[in-house]
Amino acid sequence: MLDTPGFVEITPTADIRVARHGNRAKCLQRLIRMDLPVPQTVALSFDTVRGIAEGHLPDLATLIALFEGQPKLLSVRSSSEAADWGGPNAVLNIGMNDRAHAWLSNTLGEKAADRIYLRFIRSFAIEVMRLDEEAFAEAETPAIARDVYEAEIDAPFPQAIADQLAAVLRSMARAWEGTSARLLRQAQGAPADAGLGLVVQRMAQGMGPGQSGAGVVQFVDPATGDPQVTGRYMGQSMGREALRRREKAIYLTRDPRGASLQEMLPEVYTELLEIGARCRERLREEMQVEFTIDQGRLAVLDAVRCPREARASVAIATALARDGIIPRAEALLRVAPGTLSHLLHRQIDPAAERRVIARGVAASPGAAAGRIVFDSAAAQAALARDEPCILVRRETTPDDVRGMHAADAVLTERGGSTSHAAMIARGLGLPCVTGATGLTISYRNRQVRLPDGSTLTEGDVITVDGSSGQVLSGKVATNEPALDGAFGDLMAWSDAVRDIGVRANADTVADATLSRTFGVDGIGLCRTEHMFFDEGRLTVMREMIFAETGPDRAAALERLLPMQRADFTELFGLMSGLPVCIRLLDPPLHEFLPSGPEGVQALAEALDRPLSEVRARIDAMQEYNPMLGMRGVRLGIALPEIYEMQARAIFEATVAAQAAGHDVHPEIMIPLVTAHREVELVKRRIDGVAGAVRDESGTDFRYDVGVMVETPRAALRAGEIAETSAFLSFGTNDLTQMTYGLSRDDAGRFMSAYVNEGVYPEDPFGTLDIDGVGELLLLGASRGRKARPDIVLGLCGEHGGQADSIAFCRLAGFDYVSCSPFRVPVAKLAAAQATLMASKHAAAHKPKA
């Protein structure tokens, strides 16, 4: 073995390291240690490849001399630190020249020699010298291809193996340093200065006489992860030709559709199965193996982590853990939390043809197809006909919630990842694309204009892919979600590891039922306003809004009381034994009023009031900036009857649920707090209602009152606010909006430009801003805990389902995070991973005894 500063032959004892030579080089060494038939291989380090890119070649004469046999034909493959970071394509048969062609003509036959030489000239010309592929399309012999090359380059085709190898190494090294390659690997999580290693390997020909060829095999189904031999083999071929030319390849296992390797070479097939089993046990992973057969003899060229879809990723990790090959902790760390989103929703079939007609923000995962509708009435009519539909809006408001319940997906012209449409869609498990670029909706014409100028009308069929942000033409095939045993195992193992709670944002019994299915730790946010948008309740709510005096408001609210009480009673029964945090009414009252002429007319009829009076009252209630106007706690102070009714509904439901044998723990949350005095005023009234219900029912019950910290001032004055609050729940959607001075509904229009220009590293509504908003969380948490050590800290914004946010909250000492039901599994896995990574970090920095 020769070890130089630039390269090292891969042997069982060579100093090969992933951080120096890359993932592929280390994997090949492991295969060699397993005594598998791996051709002789040399590894070039990251530093060597950087030097090559700068024009400093290693000692190629010494490198080439390491290889034995004649003719010396070599391949070069990339070896990045992580397999997902990619790298330049492999180049095969380096060293093929006139002399090698003559040698192979005598040993393999002239036809095989011609094929090898022709393939190398084409590959060298196109992949290495960057010549136009079209120029070589009609070259059917090596001589013609060489003439084309020499005409294009105006120089002879290189015959010396050192010259060919030098050109290949330079080309691959420089390609890695290119802008496109750098951006692609950075998208996969690679640092900007990530290194590339290269491996030079003696060719194992699959072009010899008799049973010779090449193939690729893996031992699990790439879609499901179930044990299954998949792949192809092709006689008289090299590399991955069997996968590219499937029409000429044969199956590996017996198959009624055609010939198979198992029938042709049963001993080799059995050897491949043994190799797969050994790789799984020794490499602790399901591998895809590239192999050649030379006159019946097997050679293993490479083994990489087998490609897999989301479901297979979970199945493989859990199967390896169940079989004792990896610890459960490692299985948890191997699955990216976002992967679980693909398991919980229907997804576009990977084999389906896509025709993208618009793109926007991937606001809620999953995919659905249906006919376009433009309002809630049309969506509900489609539901009555059992006809799938897509609700298309400029942007949604609370008045659209009924239509969203009826629709199969939502598409909006405006908005971002935390807009109203996005948040409600995630809660409902609806696919949603918001802020679709170039989309123009005309409600009058019942049409939507696409970016290319074409139009779609109501009733046309589209497919919304909320996982990618794409809108597709027509109905595209989808795959159903798969919550099998592997998913259950992963959730159970996550629960056993994580040390921070995961609650759900659940507004309805359906939300709570789904959350309970996912093993949630309680409800962290129940938005009571969504309970008022049912048709029967909305009319009563509007009567209350139009009431002139406190007694008139109280009379209308008296009719809403039994409805809210019934909602809470059912919710408490379903969540028995778990905390339920109920947010008192938050949005401005104008959101409950109609805006269109038909809606205003209907309201006037329902209230039996003149149309002009109703219209004037609606106009009078409009605010310049309603999201910073009379909403949240301001409603509770200005119109106290609303919060008093809600408190009574909560307490009477508590009494009813306790009588039914349920363990009830309601938490009442006051929204949009900015001052300690606000909490005092509202809490005093809530406590008064609690006392009255206790006296009337003769039943005692427990409850907590806390606040939603969603204004910067509330975070800064958390010490004072905590004095009368049992918990602080940080609502990072509004807190981010107010900290940045950005509208979360409108920021999507320019956010991509801001991120691309480096103004913000990420969209702060999609990824928690640790530096800015995070500092407010830390200040609020520390000041709250200092004033009241037993105070409960939670995060209930959409960031609660994001992995980095969960890790941050855990380090900040939060008790729980809360997110939409369909993000609960993602949050649970992310919480478990954060706990495991923190334990690893602590162990690594533990002082030695």
Side-chain angles (χ1 to χ4, degrees), residues 680-702:
E680 281 186 328
L681 291 170
V682 174
K683 187 176 185 300
R684 184 184 304 152
R685 291 181 177 275
I686 291 172
D687 291 341
V689 175
V693 173
R694 284 192 178 108
D695 292 341
E696 294 164 9
S697 64
T699 303
D700 194 17
F701 49 83
R702 59 175 178 153

Side-chain angles (χ1 to χ4, degrees), residues 260-304:
S260 70
L261 183 66
Q262 185 177 12
E263 296 165 308
M264 186 182 300
L265 291 171
E267 300 86 358
V268 173
Y269 178 81
T270 301
E271 191 177 353
L272 282 173
L273 296 185
E274 293 171 353
I275 288 170
R278 289 170 65 189
C279 284
R280 183 176 191 266
E281 186 167 345
R282 293 282 295 276
L283 302 183
R284 307 183 323 127
E285 180 59 280
E286 291 290 356
M287 306 298 287
Q288 184 185 82
V289 176
E290 185 177 336
F291 65 92
T292 62
I293 299 172
D294 183 11
Q295 301 178 66
R297 293 188 303 275
L298 181 68
V300 175
L301 305 184
D302 196 15
V304 297

Side-chain angles (χ1 to χ4, degrees), residues 127-211:
E127 300 292 335
V128 179
M129 304 305 292
R130 305 287 191 266
L131 299 183
D132 190 350
E133 183 176 357
E134 190 176 340
F136 295 86
E138 297 181 3
E140 296 180 353
T141 68
I144 295 174
R146 192 171 55 192
D147 289 343
V148 172
Y149 175 92
E150 292 176 354
E152 292 284 328
I153 288 290
D154 196 24
F157 184 80
Q159 294 289 309
I161 185 173
D163 293 340
Q164 295 177 1
L165 182 59
V168 170
L169 296 178
R170 273 194 298 265
S171 172
M172 296 177 78
R174 289 170 180 170
W176 177 259
E177 298 296 335
T179 302
S180 297
R182 186 175 67 256
L183 292 175
L184 284 173
R185 63 177 177 267
Q186 284 182 269
Q188 295 295 325
D193 61 348
L196 176 72
L198 295 173
V199 293
V200 182
Q201 189 176 72
R202 181 174 58 81
M203 284 292 300
Q205 289 293 347
M207 304 285 288
Q211 295 298 343

